[in-house]
Amino acid sequence: MFKTNVGGIDRIARIAGGLALIGLAVAGVIGPWGYIGVVPLATGSLRTCPLYSVLGFNTCPMKG
């Protein structure tokens, strides 16, 4: 469906950051805006980022 454009380290950082933001929002530390962590969590889990596609970025290693 979508082209994979999020590589290993980028993927781990997105998932960890997303979970951290959501966790802080649930704990009431940073307020409800922390639920924006769903976005990096989703892009890391799905390994595709629409903004990367628009800008032409790709952090996946080349397969060859």
Side-chain angles (χ1 to χ4, degrees):
M1 186 164 153
F2 292 107
K3 185 177 178 184
T4 300
N5 61 4
V6 176
I9 294 173
D10 189 10
R11 182 178 186 206
I12 292 168
R14 286 169 182 263
I15 292 171
L19 288 173
L21 282 171
I22 293 168
L24 290 170
V26 168
V29 175
I30 58 174
W33 69 268
Y35 290 107
I36 196 73
V38 169
V39 174
L41 181 60
T43 58
S45 298
L46 297 174
R47 301 188 74 168
T48 185
C49 177
L51 184 59
Y52 273 15
S53 296
V54 170
L55 298 175
F57 291 139
N58 187 349
T59 59
C60 281
M62 296 297 252
K63 294 181 181 178

